[in-house]
Amino acid sequence: MIKVLFFASFRERVGRAQGMIETSENLTVAEVWARAAAGTPLPQNTLVAVNLEYASLDQVVRNGDEVAFFPPVTGG
Amino acid sequence: MIKVLFFASFRERVGRAQGMIETSENLTVAEVWARAAAGTPLPQNTLVAVNLEYASLDQVVRNGDEVAFFPPVTGG
Amino acid sequence: MTVLLREVGFDPCEEFSTYQNEVLGQRGKYGAAISFVGTMRDFNEGHKVQAMTLEHYPGMTEKQLGQICAEAERQWEILDALIVHRVGMVKPNEPIVLVAVWSAHRAAAFDACRFLIEALKTRAPFWKKEQLHETTRWVEHNTPVN
Amino acid sequence: MTVLLREVGFDPCEEFSTYQNEVLGQRGKYGAAISFVGTMRDFNEGHKVQAMTLEHYPGMTEKQLGQICAEAERQWEILDALIVHRVGMVKPNEPIVLVAVWSAHRAAAFDACRFLIEALKTRAPFWKKEQLHETTRWVEHNTPVN
């Protein structure tokens, strides 16, 4: 199981805050998006975190990982 | 009359906080020190203010001016 | 090094004083303290803003801010740092963030404080949604450094 | 732009808050506030310091600080600045100086605040005399910027 999270405008765009992917193979972050985002194309400027650390779209994700997608951050 | 002020370690070194010089001629700041400092040699790193603005030792001082001598400032 | 997320309004001065008095505990050692307070403005990109919601990624926020603090500590001789950040609904004139740094000498505190707020703005997972007169919008990017 | 000299102890947070609430009067306009607080340390150049006397040149102090503030206002887009400086007898852990700057965006506030404290330290006519265990000494120069 891979836990997938969407934040801010991505949450609204995809229409959900989180989802779970069941998979026996290792997936890249981009493949996780394709499976979890219900047909929504990957936005430009997408930021990704795997297990609370920033990651790239081609990083490989394993069972038990948490993958988050979000737009540029705007805190402070 | 020229009013002369000494601050901080200069006040202690010269032995007075202030003095007055009566003069009909215009004096340079260095000449003001020589007349007012009671024989104390001019210290290195002397800072000078004429009428509350920083000035140089060769600046000419006029009747009614206020001349102050002090060491490097250490506020803040 | 302390990171606090506040779901209700906070007083930056009170946070600063309380931390300094009760937590810092190195009295007489710090000669300099720099603090940055970011406050919500009532105007952004040509529109009057009535309120703002600050969303974040619980867990990652604390982790990223903790890493940023650790980087500052490695890079500058600082004694302590405090970051307080609002989440949830914020109104104009309310503080959004406090970044405070204590050090023996001022240069380290200035540099570290500026590093912390810039790093926070690029790396900490917060997002602002503005409430305008009749609509809402996500803030798309932060104001640049200059 | 306000310059205050205090002959008794002051609370930098209180000065900051009071000024922001009562004087600044541009609520919703400032997005950033930077403040620097300089505190008396109990140790300097290898000796324990028990107290310090801050002498200044009344009249010139206010004039120089006023000019420094005006220079900052010309150079950066800032909304306001407040300088509070102690004179007289100061004890370890007591604040010596507060420099606070308000602006719409943070870069101007950071730059102006740093300029103000550096300019104050080189140009404002204050002098520190330290009370050590059995003797006193004039501080001869300020700590350099770095």
Side-chain angles (χ1 to χ4, degrees), chain C residues 65-90:
Chain C
L65 290 176
Q67 287 175 0
I68 288 167
C69 285
E71 286 174 34
E73 208 170 19
R74 278 197 301 274
Q75 199 165 348
W76 290 282
E77 272 197 41
I78 59 178
L79 294 164
D80 210 339
L82 168 67
I83 297 177
V84 184
H85 203 291
R86 266 300 291 282
V87 293
M89 163 92 98
V90 187

Side-chain angles (χ1 to χ4, degrees), chain D residues 1 14 24 29 32 38 58 67 73 82 93 95 97 101 104 112-113 134 137 140-141:
Chain D
M1 300 284 173
E14 221 174 276
L24 198 59
K29 298 275 189 298
Q67 287 175 2
E73 209 169 20
L82 169 67
N93 305 316
V97 61
V101 179
C113 184
E134 288 188 318
R137 68 176 176 196
E140 305 236 324
H141 46 76

Side-chain angles (χ1 to χ4, degrees), chain A residues 3 6-7 13 15-18 26 28 33 36 38 40-41 43-44 47-48 50 59-60 63-64 66 71-72 75-76:
Chain A
K3 186 176 180 184
F6 302 98
F7 286 99
R13 213 186 280 203
R16 63 170 82 154
Q18 62 178 75
N26 289 341
T28 65
W33 174 277
T40 310
Q44 285 199 311
L47 294 178
V48 180
V50 175
Q59 182 164 327
V60 174
N63 235 321
E66 177 174 304

Side-chain angles (χ1 to χ4, degrees), chain D residues 53-65:
Chain D
T53 306
L54 263 158
E55 180 176 332
H56 78 121
Y57 182 177
M60 183 170 175
T61 309
E62 295 85 341
K63 189 167 189 193
Q64 292 295 321
L65 291 177

Side-chain angles (χ1 to χ4, degrees), chain D residues 5-9 56 85-89:
Chain D
L5 299 176
R6 294 273 188 243
E7 292 181 16
V8 292
H56 78 121
H85 203 291
R86 266 301 291 281
V87 292
M89 163 92 97

Side-chain angles (χ1 to χ4, degrees), chain A residues 5-12 47-49 51-54 66-76, chain C residues 55-57 59-60 63-64 67 85 96-97 120-129 138-142:
Chain A
L5 301 173
F6 302 98
F7 286 99
S9 57
F10 284 19
R11 177 173 36 74
E12 296 181 352
L47 294 178
V48 180
N51 299 330
L52 313 181
E53 295 290 351
Y54 283 100
E66 177 174 304
V67 183
F69 296 96
F70 45 80
V73 301
T74 56
Chain C
E55 181 176 332
H56 78 120
Y57 181 176
M60 183 171 175
K63 190 169 188 190
Q64 291 294 321
Q67 287 175 0
H85 203 291
I96 296 170
V97 61
L120 181 155
K121 281 179 174 270
T122 40
R123 288 156 58 183
F126 293 105
W127 302 275
K128 289 171 180 156
K129 189 177 199 174
W138 289 98
V139 177
E140 305 236 323
H141 46 75
N142 258 322

Side-chain angles (χ1 to χ4, degrees), chain A residues 10-32:
Chain A
F10 284 19
R11 177 173 36 74
E12 296 181 352
R13 213 186 280 203
V14 172
R16 63 170 82 154
Q18 62 178 75
M20 298 296 261
I21 296 176
E22 294 220 41
T23 178
S24 55
E25 22 164 8
N26 289 341
L27 302 176
T28 65
V29 165
E31 288 165 343
V32 170

